[in-house]
Amino acid sequence: MRIGITCYPTFGGSGVVATELGIALARGGDDVHFISYQMPSRLSVLHERVRFHEVTVTPYPLFDPYPPYTLALATKMAEVADYEKLDILHVHYAIPHAISAHLAREILSSRKLHFVTTLHGTDITLVGRDPSYLPITRFGIEVSDGVTAVSEWLRVQTARNFGTNKEIEVIPNFVDPARFRKHDSALSHLFSSSGEKLLCHVSNFRPVKRIMDVLAVFERVTRTIPSRLVMIGDGPERSVAEAFCRDHGLREKVFFLGNVPNLEEVVGAADVFLLPSEAESFGMAALEAMASEVPVIGSRAGGLPEVVVEGETGYLLPVGDIEGMAARAVEILSNADLQRRLGRNGRDLAEGKFNVNRVVPRYREFYERVIG
Ligand code: GMT
């Protein structure tokens, strides 16, 4: 099959899922064409069946300060679909990608282009709900030839928020268990000395991730358990969080690594993973931690309970329950058997239900159904 994929190329979860999906499809024999304004950050492997097409927005004084990316993307989608004879276009994150895909299909009226939209989370729960984007998001969903959501929770939210009867297929996110696995790596010793535990958080440091809760939980844990914390990722809240660490004597114990390329080695060396988000449609970072045999402590919010099994692969608490999360972290960190059991259970789910080899064929079947 010849498949076009459009996503945000940054470190956000939707871009990660789209990129890993494209790589897995190419490994399975499909030709994959990424179309975006920049090479996706996780597209680090060269593969003979993967191509990247950059969207450039030609500057023009009248366009200032809003160059029309949506239109430039639509034009590039139509061009690639025509030239590369795409069978299907798969866009990740509804806005503006579904609208560009719709325009591309209209441009190519003589050649039918099918497109599928995958809803990831904030496109539905945050941005898409804003009155200035709601009608166009609903339109994008309804004109898609097929729509998928990454969790059952997100499917229900979409129907509710947009009042749409559009059929939505739930296909969960996935992980490559060969890549994300336990690492007794030397890396852990870079951050913690022997006898210390290592906690970890990965996100885009947006307000929805509540990274100040991560620090507050960690600060409580250090009162009883000698430990360190690694913060992976970057975003608007990073400066405030770093200032908090400076002001509260945590500077030597908390490491802000930024967007590291080999995050699996750091995550895989951790003892506990923290994800206290306000909302999370799925929680890709939690799944990657589970694959790495790292118990997850997070908030009982959104689709996270579909990923983290309470008491089996970690613990979920109400949003903002810092004391509860810290207590669970101490419980795990002071009981090696419990840590091992939760870690093994997480790994089992990553190797089974959420395995890349099990989930990616579902997308392929979905494409065939949509085209058929
Ligand atoms: O806000 C983010 O975490 C980024 C966002 C995205 O679309 O790039 O992530 C969303 O999609 C991920 C991949 O499907 C999910 O794992 C995240 O849970 C979801 N984020 C939220 O719902 C806040």
Side-chain angles (χ1 to χ4, degrees), residues 39 85 112 173 206 264:
M39 180 87 98
K85 305 274 175 288
K112 179 85 177 138
N173 289 335
R206 300 228 170 95
E264 64 272 20

Side-chain angles (χ1 to χ4, degrees), residues 12-14 17 93 120-122 150 173 204 209 279-284:
S14 60
V17 172
Y93 210 86
H120 280 273
T122 48
V150 297
N173 289 335
N204 50 20
K209 302 293 177 179
E280 202 68 68
S281 68
F282 184 88
M284 193 58 195

Side-chain angles (χ1 to χ4, degrees), residues 215-232:
L215 300 180
V217 169
F218 173 69
E219 191 275 323
R220 279 160 181 76
V221 170
T222 53
R223 292 179 198 170
T224 39
I225 309 257
S227 44
R228 307 271 174 130
L229 169 68
V230 276
M231 302 282 285
I232 302 176

Side-chain angles (χ1 to χ4, degrees), residues 5 13-25 27 42 90 92 118 120 148 150 171-180 282-289 291 307 349-364 367:
I5 293 185
S14 60
V16 167
V17 172
T19 309
E20 300 290 356
L21 172 63
I23 294 169
L25 287 165
R27 286 193 175 131
R42 277 230 189 157
H90 187 174
H92 293 258
T118 288
H120 280 273
T148 74
V150 297
I171 302 183
N173 289 335
F174 53 87
V175 68
D176 179 357
R179 178 175 171 201
F180 283 88
F282 184 88
M284 193 58 195
L287 176 58
E288 292 177 340
V307 183
L349 274 180
E351 283 179 331
K353 181 179 177 188
F354 297 113
N355 193 320
V356 59
N357 297 327
R358 187 180 286 199
V359 179
V360 170
R362 290 184 56 190
Y363 274 112
R364 227 182 161 284
Y367 299 158

